[in-house]
């Protein structure tokens, strides 16, 4: 099926007399006839559900839809996008291991990696997404377990050369993990360019309505774990906490990674998405293909307006021919990039703060990538924990404003921006 049809019908096919919509299985526990039946579930010898902290039928149906949209073989929902970022890496790397990440990733993810996961004994090397081949090659170490990047960086809006980073990762026998939140599978499917694992903050465009926090991890099923068995013992050697199961052998390339993440990480951390949130997420997915088109159309018009305004110092939007990421966007996102624009005013940080106070349609909010137009000054919010030097290093200058263009009438959005610029 085409992506538009998958958005509406993927993940769940009701049988005769069953609910048309994905049902909400709002239950923590599930009943079985015998203790032996439940024992098979705990031994991973049978499929099924016994406790929602690990898996839930509603979640699995929605995850299956996202896996189908991305072209993957298996997926799992998490309680947030941050949980998806953590699980995706921690499923492969532990104390004493090393990970390479793009320096332009979302500030919350940067802090997760650079502070919290370092405390867990995992080392990170951050590379400029536009680094040279030599610089990228030099970042790899013997204990490197994966490479992490974003299709479109939040909020720097740098387009990652997915194919180049995938080739580098595979040359060293490790997978590439891509956060595809801003592009969504409607505009880019990273697996088609060599990525191995894709994650999403489903809170953003996939939900699209400020309704439910969530995340998702999708496995391409293409990375051969057994071919690099020495690098990934967690997948290629027996797991004594599950009676000696070797995930890569029992579940194959298409199921090993997600099964391990569920059986180990979801079991121990419990960062499950609530079934009600998964239901809301599915409602958002059904219109994703329509909304993304409108987001991109509106953002293109707004970016062109800002680029021509005399008070605007700079604009970053990969859909603009003048943007340094335009050529990569044409390669990876030819049908549109996203609805988010980064820009700064000639008056710098002070002008940004004054400008935002005058807005009427665009709301000041921490959120991004939903139906409402909203704006944020990251240096004062999501990236507040970073120094000016770290802000500049990850492509988020102190004057940067992140404008998330919604699906309202574009003329109203532009008029609002114009009156606010006039007021200052």
């Amino acid at each position: 099926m085409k992506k538009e049809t998958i958005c509406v019908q993927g993940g769940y096919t009701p049988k005769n007399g069953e609910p048309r919509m994905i049902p909400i299985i709002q239950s923590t526990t599930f009943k079985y006839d015998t203790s032996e039946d439940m024992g098979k579930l705990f031994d991973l010898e049978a499929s099924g559900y016994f406790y929602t902290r690990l898996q839930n039928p509603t979640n699995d149906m929605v995850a299956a839809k996202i896996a189908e949209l991305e072209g993957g073989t298996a997926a799992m929902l998490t309680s947030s996008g941050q949980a998806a970022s953590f699980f995706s890496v921690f499923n492969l790397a532990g104390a004493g291991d090393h990970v390479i990440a793009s320096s332009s990733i979302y500030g919350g993810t940067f802090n997760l990696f650079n502070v919290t996961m370092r405390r867990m004994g995992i080392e990170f090397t951050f590379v400029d997404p536009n680094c040279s081949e030599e610089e990228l090659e030099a970042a790899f170490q013997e204990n490197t377990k994966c490479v992490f990047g974003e299709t479109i960086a939040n909020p720097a809006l740098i387009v990652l050369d997915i194919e180049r980073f995938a080739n580098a990762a595979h040359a060293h026998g490790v997978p590439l993990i891509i956060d595809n939140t801003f592009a969504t599978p409607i505009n880019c499917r990273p697996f088609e360019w060599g990525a191995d694992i894709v994650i999403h903050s489903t809170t953003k465009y996939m939900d699209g309505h400020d309704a439910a926090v969530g995340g998702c991890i999708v496995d391409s099923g293409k990375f051969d774990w057994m071919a690099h068995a020495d690098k990934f013992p967690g997948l290629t050697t027996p797991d004594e906490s599950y009676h000696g199961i070797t995930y890569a052998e029992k579940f194959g390339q298409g199921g090993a990674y997600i099964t391990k993440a569920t059986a180990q990480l979801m079991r121990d951390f419990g960062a499950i998405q609530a079934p009600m949130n998964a239901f809301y997420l599915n409602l958002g997915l059904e219109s994703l293909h329509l909304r993304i088109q409108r987001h991109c159309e509106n953002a293109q018009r707004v970016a062109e307006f800002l680029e021509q305004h005399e008070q605007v110092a700079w604009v970053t939007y990969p859909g603009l021919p003048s943007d340094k990421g335009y050529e990569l966007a044409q390669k990876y996102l030819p049908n549109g990039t996203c609805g988010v624009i980064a820009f700064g005013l000639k008056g710098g940080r002070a002008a940004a703060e004054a400008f935002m106070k005058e807005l009427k349609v665009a709301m000041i909010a921490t959120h991004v990538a939903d139906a409402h137009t909203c704006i944020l000054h990251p240096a004062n919010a999501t990236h507040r924990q970073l120094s000016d030097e770290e802000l500049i290093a990850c492509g988020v200058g102190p004057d940067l404003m992140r404008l998330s263009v919604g699906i309202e009438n574009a003329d109203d959005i532009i008029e609002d921006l114009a009156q606010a610029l006039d007021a200052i």
Side-chain angles (χ1 to χ4, degrees), residues 124-409:
F124 288 84
T125 296
F126 295 94
V127 298
D128 188 313
N130 297 313
C131 65
S132 66
E133 296 294 336
E134 293 74 20
E135 289 170 327
L136 181 56
E137 181 66 23
F140 285 90
Q141 301 176 13
E142 286 295 318
N143 59 342
T144 300
K145 294 302 175 75
C146 62
V147 179
F148 186 100
E150 294 175 347
T151 308
I152 306 174
N154 174 16
L157 299 181
I158 297 171
V159 179
L160 189 75
D161 192 340
I162 300 171
E163 194 169 32
R164 182 166 78 97
F165 274 73
N167 289 339
H170 297 160
H172 290 270
V174 300
L176 173 64
I177 302 173
I178 291 291
D179 184 334
N180 198 34
T181 296
F182 270 15
T184 82
I186 302 302
N187 284 346
C188 181
R189 300 214 299 182
F191 294 154
E192 295 174 356
W193 300 100
D196 302 288
I197 308 294
V198 159
I199 68 168
H200 288 273
S201 170
T202 62
T203 319
K204 309 304 190 297
Y205 286 125
M206 284 189 165
D207 172 271
H209 299 88
D210 295 312
V213 174
C216 186
I217 307 174
V218 186
D219 184 8
S220 69
K222 295 179 180 179
F223 193 85
D224 190 345
W225 306 107
M226 293 304 293
H228 309 283
D230 58 325
K231 283 185 173 291
F232 305 104
L235 284 156
T236 61
T237 60
D239 178 3
E240 297 307 324
S241 70
Y242 271 105
H243 309 290
I245 283 177
T246 299
Y247 296 101
E249 290 180 352
K250 185 170 181 62
F251 301 101
Q253 285 183 205
Y257 178 88
I258 293 296
T259 302
K260 178 179 180 292
T262 302
Q264 290 184 354
L265 303 186
M266 195 63 80
R267 174 195 65 189
D268 295 341
F269 290 95
I272 193 78
Q273 188 168 144
M276 181 64 79
N277 282 17
F279 179 81
Y280 291 143
L281 168 58
N282 183 61
L283 293 179
L285 289 171
E286 290 190 348
S287 64
L288 178 64
H289 56 295
L290 301 173
R291 291 183 290 102
I292 285 296
Q293 182 179 2
R294 181 60 174 263
H295 280 294
C296 292
E297 290 172 353
N298 281 0
Q300 185 69 34
R301 285 191 57 194
V302 171
E304 290 169 358
F305 162 78
L306 290 171
E307 187 177 40
Q308 298 301 317
H309 201 284
E310 61 180 9
Q311 289 177 256
V312 176
W314 58 271
V315 179
T316 297
Y317 185 68
L320 293 173
S322 60
D323 193 271
K324 60 184 178 182
Y326 181 75
E327 289 187 9
L328 282 177
Q330 291 302 297
K331 174 180 178 178
Y332 294 114
L333 306 120
N335 298 318
T337 56
C338 66
V340 182
I341 301 167
F343 70 105
L345 301 181
K346 291 180 180 177
R349 188 170 191 155
E353 293 172 349
F355 164 78
M356 289 171 62
K357 292 176 182 177
E358 301 295 333
L359 293 168
K360 305 293 189 290
V361 174
M363 296 175 285
I364 299 175
T366 307
H367 206 227
V368 67
D370 64 66
H372 307 84
T373 294
C374 55
I375 192 167
L376 188 74
H377 185 207
N380 275 337
T382 55
H383 291 61
R384 194 177 181 90
Q385 71 273 31
L386 304 184
S387 66
D388 281 356
E389 292 74 18
E390 288 175 324
L391 284 170
I392 294 169
C394 65
V396 185
D399 65 333
L400 182 148
M401 286 178 285
R402 183 184 70 184
L403 176 65
S404 180
V405 181
I407 58 175
E408 305 95 341
N409 185 289

Side-chain angles (χ1 to χ4, degrees), residues 45-128:
E45 292 294 333
S47 60
Y49 304 91
F50 52 86
Y51 197 50
T52 285
R53 176 161 57 83
L54 281 89
Q55 285 179 286
N56 178 280
T58 304
N59 291 21
D60 282 359
M61 286 183 275
V62 179
K65 175 180 284 191
I66 297 174
E68 195 173 353
L69 281 169
E70 285 286 6
T73 57
M76 66 185 294
L77 298 188
T78 60
S79 58
S80 67
Q82 194 78 323
S85 296
F86 172 60
F87 276 19
S88 68
V89 173
F90 197 61
N91 203 34
L92 301 174
D97 291 331
H98 172 257
V99 174
I100 296 170
S102 166
S103 62
S104 66
I105 57 176
Y106 165 61
T109 310
F110 184 92
N111 194 70
L112 169 68
F113 292 170
N114 195 44
V115 178
T116 303
M117 293 185 75
R118 283 191 192 276
R119 291 173 57 197
M120 301 170 74
I122 304 173
E123 288 302 313
F124 288 84
T125 296
F126 295 94
V127 298
D128 188 313

